[in-house]
Amino acid sequence: MKVLVAVKRVVDYNVKVRVKADNSGVDLANVKMSMNPFCEIAVEEAVRLKEKGVASEIVVVSIGPTAAQEQLRTALALGADRAILVESSDELNSLAVAKLLKAVADKEQPQLVILGKQAIDSDNNQTGQMLGALTGFAQGTFASKVEVAGDKVNVTREIDGGLQTVALNLPAIVTTDLRLNEPRYASLPNIMKAKKKPLEVVTPADLGVATASTVKTLKVEAPAARSAGIKVKSVAELVEKLKNEAKVI
Amino acid sequence: MTILVIAEHTNAALAPATLNTVAAAQKIGGDIHVLVAGAACGAAAEAAGKIAGVAKVLVADNAAFAHQLPENVAPLVAELGAGYSHILAAATSNGKNILPRVAAQLDVDQISEIIAVESADTFKRPIYAGNAIATVQSSAVIKVITVRATGFDPVAAEGGSAAVEAVGAGSDAGKSAFVGEELAKSDRPELTAAKIVVSGGRGMQNGDNFKHLYALADKLGAAVGASRAAVDAGFVPNDMQVGQTGKIVAPQLYIAVGISGAIQHLAGMKDSKVIVAINKDEEAPIFQVADYGLVADLFEAIPELEKLV
């Protein structure tokens, strides 16, 4: 079966972001960018399905600026077969992204779509579910285990109290949680080979999708800083402070 | 302006996060209706009717809603929600699972995990793992929003007397089925609702050593949490994880034991009132957010702490 994987180019998770002085956003100039960690897990899962003989082709798609080709090449180096970039320099909201992904899914007809559960920049956790509504596919969000069995996929999901398993009819959407797998690294020969794999570039207009949003960001601020704390010398002093100064125990 | 709040419940009881969500709805202003969708959920509906400030409770009682499968619940919420100005749900795993599907069905954007209400159309929410706070304004006809429970003080669970009304026959979309679940059993308070949280990290060395934290927690009436490192190392189950990708907590007192304080973890606990860090590495980033820091070996400090509190 064909698997479609969506990946996003985001600020690297190790970077401590700074808010711009004019409060218009965070400063992303000259900051290291990477594939969103949850998307790496999505690519890894697709590659493992291919290695098991379950998936026959992996198509990886990204929506974003020209530079997102880097992340698509990374996915190709990890084992994806071909890539599609929906090029847009606008900052798109999850609904617009879901609509673009639906247009790609309509064309590609995948049996399984794998996304990360959330992007670490917007922290939205929406796109997979929205794609589910638009395509009518069932959704297995926050997946920690994925097993394809015939025309169904069993997904074990991380929920607040523990784990839940659901059986979804294919085609279906899976969004990955951290513990689904441990992504591999791309080897140098595979990085070289990935340069020759096909990468198609389209625009939202080509797909006939309007990307206007009803939500606008008025300002972005740094969170309130915590006042500096103190170091205590002993457990006894700690307990005394908690009881008499902070009055929390 | 009428607001629909999707109740978080276990059919038999209402989850506390519902009360925080109603509190957010009150800040927006307008009549508040609560939807309880489930199977044999009469008790949860009755509890919803008693919440202070709720005008009406809608109950959709159907076997198809038993496990809150989004393929079945989202169409119901989208159908009912079309007549409301706002649709709110708690940012729990259920709320996050269902609400974006509702928003897309209604063809509107969703705003995730708000922590403050500025006005009926303007909200604050954390981005970049809580390293920035965005103020966003929505011009959507129906505003679909998930609410971070720790951002709002819960309303009283008693004192209301809302009318309960049965709605939406509902049906099984036939796309998904519940197979089973494995819930972690615990007698301690729920992590997200606890007044005190004691969390362990990689410094605990193994799962067995968490017994020291359990003993301390039991003495304090606290919940026990963990960092991602402790979960990934297999010390404890993943529903104990505090952080950007786990649970967001804001207790009165958060005690971080053997936790270095990665950005990912801080995103889940830095709104706690008082933070205590116990770590033998005095350079650990956790000390930058801790109100009280103790540089010590946790295996000596924790038993002593347990004795003294």
Side-chain angles (χ1 to χ4, degrees), chain B residues 7 9-14 36 40-49 57:
Chain B
H9 66 92
T10 60
N11 290 320
L14 210 57
V36 181
C41 56
E46 202 180 309
V57 176

Side-chain angles (χ1 to χ4, degrees), chain A residues 94-114:
Chain A
S94 297
L95 184 63
V97 170
K99 286 179 179 173
L100 291 166
L101 289 176
K102 156 127 191 342
V104 173
D106 283 347
K107 235 159 97 179
E108 296 288 339
Q109 297 287 318
Q111 285 295 97
L112 192 62
V113 186
I114 312 182

Side-chain angles (χ1 to χ4, degrees), chain A residues 144-167:
Chain A
S144 61
K145 196 169 158 200
V146 175
E147 282 176 319
V148 178
D151 59 350
K152 287 193 191 313
V153 55
N154 287 317
V155 179
T156 302
R157 309 176 50 237
E158 298 198 3
I159 59 170
D160 286 338
L163 299 170
Q164 179 194 64
T165 305
V166 290

Side-chain angles (χ1 to χ4, degrees), chain B residues 96-198:
Chain B
K96 291 176 184 175
N97 195 22
I98 294 168
L99 220 57
R101 202 165 169 117
V102 173
Q105 274 189 295
L106 292 170
D107 195 23
V108 294
D109 290 292
Q110 188 202 286
I111 301 176
S112 293
E113 302 219 22
I114 62 163
I115 54 169
V117 173
E118 300 284 286
S119 70
D121 65 0
T122 308
F123 311 92
K124 282 188 191 251
R125 60 176 302 262
I127 52 176
Y128 290 91
N131 286 306
I133 307 294
T135 305
V136 294
Q137 187 174 43
S138 168
S139 58
V141 190
I142 305 170
K143 291 160 187 75
V144 178
I145 297 165
T146 60
V147 176
R148 181 175 284 189
T150 58
F152 299 89
D153 292 328
V155 297
E158 300 286 332
S161 55
V164 177
E165 186 181 303
V167 292
S171 61
D172 192 330
K175 289 176 180 164
S176 56
F178 173 83
V179 177
E181 62 189 0
E182 250 180 82
L183 299 180
K185 295 215 165 35
S186 172
D187 300 329
R188 292 182 192 91
E190 214 225 335
L191 198 49
T192 49
K195 288 206 162 53
I196 303 179
V197 173
V198 181

